[in-house]
Amino acid sequence: MAQPRVCRVAAAEDPLERAVNVPANEPAANSFVPNRENQRELRHALGCFGTGVTVVTIDTAEGPFGMTVNSFSSVSLDPPLILWSVDKRSARCRNFENAEHFTVNVLQQNQQDVAGDFAKNPMAFREGLWRNGGYGSPVLNHCLATFECVRETHYAGGDHTIILGRVLQATVNNGVPLLFFRGEFGSVA
Ligand SMILES: Cc1cc2nc3c(=O)[nH]c(=O)nc-3n(C[C@H](O)[C@H](O)[C@H](O)COP(=O)(O)O)c2cc1C
């Protein structure tokens, strides 16, 4: 049986540097027990999981409201369920917890500006680029896919709230997805 390779980790002050500053032909290794002191490393590790990028949109008394989100995940086909999570430390959290309906708008590669806008500003709705959906939440135009949902329930998830939604309407367009990997936007090659 092949012996497991012994990884030599290059010495560096910063553990994140240590994880990347090794010769290309050797695997980088940085293993740790997550705790309050190394949250940055955990964020970096989690960022290795490349995702698509969505904007979750809701209707509020002040008008349409949104947030850039990559925690979106499919859950169930029957019934059709999806989830995403919202940071409880965000001032936007309460709005999303209270919203009975929401839309998950899956962004295309040419919508990086939309992702940037909604990361900074929940009211970043540009005229002509969105519409009122038929299920009580705004829908962004020109997305790769949209999922108009009714909130099924939400759960406590540490410093986030996990929102579970039932898909009432799914819409798919042709196109190429916007991706997010290690803190940067990208697309499929
Ligand atoms: C690619 C990307 C994905 C994000 N995903 C999430 C997410 O899943 N949940 C979340 O609560 N915030 C997420 N954020 C952060 C929010 O979009 C937004 O930047 C943050 O809520 C701003 O802080 P504030 O609400 O306190 O102003 C993401 C940001 C980016 C750029």
Side-chain angles (χ1 to χ4, degrees):
M1 205 170 79
Q3 290 296 309
R5 284 196 62 189
V6 177
C7 310
R8 188 166 55 76
V9 177
E13 289 290 298
D14 184 336
L16 291 187
E17 289 294 310
R18 201 170 62 216
V20 292
N21 280 349
V22 291
N25 60 346
E26 290 188 27
N30 182 30
S31 186
F32 58 96
V33 176
N35 60 40
R36 287 210 165 134
E37 272 66 58
N38 59 20
Q39 287 183 356
R40 189 163 151 258
E41 280 180 82
L42 180 59
R43 182 189 287 265
H44 177 78
L46 292 169
C48 295
F49 182 59
T51 66
V53 183
T54 77
V55 173
V56 176
T57 50
I58 58 174
D59 196 23
T60 71
E62 287 75 45
F65 194 91
M67 178 190 267
T68 303
V69 162
N70 73 337
S71 55
F72 168 70
S73 180
S74 58
V75 174
S76 162
L77 291 178
D78 185 17
L81 300 175
I82 58 90
L83 66 73
W84 69 283
S85 63
V86 56
D87 193 331
K88 290 203 296 200
R89 295 159 296 189
S90 166
R92 310 182 203 186
C93 181
R94 193 55 62 83
N95 283 297
F96 287 108
E97 284 179 348
N98 290 340
E100 285 188 18
H101 295 88
F102 63 90
T103 305
V104 179
N105 303 272
V106 180
L107 300 184
Q108 305 216 37
Q109 66 172 358
N110 62 2
Q111 291 178 303
Q112 190 177 321
D113 55 339
V114 178
D117 287 353
F118 279 99
K120 288 188 224 102
N121 174 14
M123 304 263 187
F125 289 81
R126 296 187 197 172
E127 210 177 311
L129 290 185
W130 66 280
R131 62 190 188 278
N132 281 309
Y135 297 91
S137 47
V139 177
L140 300 185
N141 296 335
H142 313 304
C143 289
L144 191 55
T146 59
F147 301 98
E148 291 169 80
C149 301
V150 60
R151 191 193 60 214
E152 191 90 351
T153 187
H154 54 65
Y155 306 99
D159 56 22
H160 279 58
T161 296
I162 301 160
I163 297 181
L164 185 73
R166 180 185 287 250
V167 181
L168 301 176
Q169 186 81 30
T171 305
V172 182
N173 289 307
N174 290 328
V176 179
L178 180 64
L179 302 179
F180 196 67
F181 173 64
R182 286 194 165 154
E184 301 209 355
F185 291 106
S187 191
V188 284

